[in-house]
Amino acid sequence: MLAMIPSVILGPIGGALADRFSRRKIIVITDLLNGLVILSLAVLMFSKPDSTTLVITWLFIVAVVNGILSSLFRPAISAFIPDLVPKDKITGANSAITSSAQFAQLIGQGLGGVAFRLLGAPVLFLIDGLSFLFSGISELFISEPEVKTTEKDLKSSPLKTFLNEIKEGFHYVWRQKGLRELIVMAAFMNFFGAPFVTLLPFYVENVLNSTTDWYGILLATEGIGVLIGAIVTGALKISGKTRCNLMLILLLCVTLCEFFLGFARTIPLALCVMFLLGFSSGMVNVYIGSIIQMATPQEIRGRVFGLLGAVASGLMPIGMGLSGIIADMTGKNIPLIYAVSGGATAVLAIYLGTRTNFRRFLAGN
């Protein structure tokens, strides 16, 4: 929760910074700072291994700082991608980024448990911090094209100008009806998707009646689905009405997978649902990012992604908190909670599918 709150509060600010300053400098600086902060945690754990309270307190601080830096990093890199590749290659670029990140995450999750047992947490934090430094240094070699920024506006009333730029981002999103409906859809999908994430361990234990090993296997299966979905998206060469219809089908598929998961009481069926969920969401995420990047002018792109991140993430902590309370109230009736959450998002997806502005935006018009 502490890591997510800064993204909600600072997302629009991070987006405005991405439109005002060099996007390459922002992603380099945030990566380097993240590396130094995580290395400080590793040093503390090495030097004071018995100071549990101090280590946990610093871990909370690191989580907050990481959230702050991420709220600056994400809008900058999302807005930066269209500056580096031609417009007709944006979907392929997002597919490559998503699939490579998902592949790395699968490897990391697979090795993480073994590495933790063999090396311990301090060594893993050391490796993690060094990986951020390596990332930041490697980004120094990116050739940044000339982009339109408002850096020169700092000479007159910088605070007022900056606040006006944030306001411009809100006004732009509000005027683009299709984009506005897409952001609302993302927010509510995250809100109703929160119980799915939070209660998955109880689903494994109470519905599947299985050991905790299957929790990791289910997550890995979803991750493989995301990886394959992202790769398939990059290979498909579709646009316009065909892409719109495919996205509507995929959105509905994501919601129905969450709806039916609670009723999947055998491991093979649960694995199939998780794979399909990952596959559909992987394709949806690549398409959504690409459509927004192509549809948004370069000079306001950072603010749009900052606002998207803030709104989409804003309801998720609330959903996580409520899912725990509702689970207790219903005696951990996971099938019921999944059915209500998945059903609510399915209704919203069907409703938005009937909206002309939403369909036109997905089609790229």
Side-chain angles (χ1 to χ4, degrees):
M1 183 185 70
L2 288 175
M4 290 180 68
I5 287 175
S7 296
V8 177
I9 299 174
L10 300 178
I13 296 175
L17 290 173
D19 289 335
R20 175 179 282 275
F21 300 107
S22 163
R23 289 159 184 167
R24 182 179 72 95
K25 288 180 182 178
I26 292 174
I27 66 175
V28 168
I29 292 170
T30 51
D31 263 349
L32 293 177
L33 289 176
N34 248 327
L36 293 175
V37 170
I38 294 172
L39 285 177
S40 72
L41 178 61
V43 170
L44 179 63
M45 296 179 79
F46 276 120
S47 60
K48 297 184 180 295
D50 298 323
S51 302
T52 307
T53 302
L54 179 61
V55 169
I56 292 176
T57 301
W58 193 247
L59 182 60
F60 276 112
I61 294 172
V62 169
V64 173
V65 174
N66 177 261
I68 293 171
L69 293 173
S70 295
S71 68
L72 305 178
F73 176 89
R74 281 194 293 266
I77 202 161
S78 295
F80 195 31
I81 293 169
D83 298 335
L84 302 178
V85 298
K87 191 171 183 178
D88 62 334
K89 303 291 185 185
I90 288 177
T91 300
N94 284 313
S95 169
I97 291 170
T98 302
S99 56
S100 61
Q102 191 63 41
F103 180 75
Q105 186 175 344
L106 286 172
I107 299 297
Q109 288 175 337
L111 296 178
V114 177
F116 177 78
R117 178 168 52 84
L118 295 177
L119 303 176
V123 175
L124 295 191
F125 279 121
L126 175 64
I127 295 172
D128 194 21
L130 292 174
S131 75
F132 273 98
L133 296 183
F134 174 81
S135 178
I137 293 171
S138 73
E139 289 154 357
L140 289 170
F141 297 95
I142 298 174
S143 298
E144 183 175 22
E146 220 174 295
V147 296
K148 299 175 185 176
T149 65
T150 53
E151 199 163 351
K152 59 182 181 295
D153 295 340
L154 282 172
K155 295 176 182 177
S156 59
S157 306
L159 179 59
K160 185 177 180 180
T161 302
F162 188 67
L163 293 176
N164 284 336
E165 288 171 3
I166 295 175
K167 192 185 299 183
E168 283 175 15
F170 280 94
H171 288 167
Y172 176 83
V173 171
W174 186 257
R175 289 194 301 268
Q176 309 299 319
K177 294 180 180 179
L179 176 59
R180 185 175 72 200
E181 291 170 345
L182 180 65
I183 291 178
V184 170
M185 176 76 187
F188 278 93
M189 285 192 75
N190 280 344
F191 175 76
F192 286 109
F196 168 78
V197 177
T198 308
L199 302 177
L200 191 61
F202 300 102
Y203 166 76
V204 172
E205 186 178 86
N206 299 341
V207 179
L208 295 181
N209 297 314
S210 300
T211 61
T212 52
D213 295 347
W214 285 102
Y215 173 70
I217 295 172
L218 285 174
L219 289 179
T221 302
E222 182 188 17
I224 293 171
V226 172
L227 173 62
I228 296 176
I231 294 173
V232 170
T233 307
L236 289 176
K237 305 298 181 184
I238 59 172
S239 59
K241 188 175 180 181
T242 303
R243 182 181 61 194
C244 170
N245 292 334
L246 177 59
M247 281 197 66
L248 292 174
I249 293 171
L250 291 169
L251 282 170
L252 189 59
C253 186
V254 169
T255 62
L256 292 179
C257 283
E258 294 180 356
F259 177 88
F260 285 114
L261 182 64
F263 301 99
R265 298 179 180 272
T266 64
I267 288 175
L269 186 56
L271 290 172
C272 290
V273 174
M274 289 294 285
F275 175 82
L276 186 58
L277 174 64
F279 180 83
S280 303
S281 60
M283 293 188 72
V284 166
N285 289 335
V286 171
Y287 275 133
I288 286 177
S290 301
I291 290 170
I292 295 175
Q293 287 166 347
M294 289 185 285
T296 308
Q298 181 191 64
E299 62 272 13
I300 203 169
R301 199 182 294 136
R303 279 166 281 180
V304 170
F305 275 102
L307 183 60
L308 172 64
V311 175
S313 302
L315 293 178
M316 198 164 186
I318 300 173
M320 287 179 169
L322 287 175
S323 63
I325 296 172
I326 294 172
D328 286 338
M329 292 173 58
T330 59
K332 294 188 178 64
N333 191 337
I334 308 300
L336 175 63
I337 297 172
Y338 280 4
V340 172
S341 299
T345 48
V347 170
L348 179 61
I350 293 170
Y351 168 72
L352 288 178
T354 65
R355 302 280 294 175
T356 303
N357 290 318
F358 187 66
R359 296 180 68 93
R360 291 183 70 238
F361 184 77
L362 295 185
N365 299 322

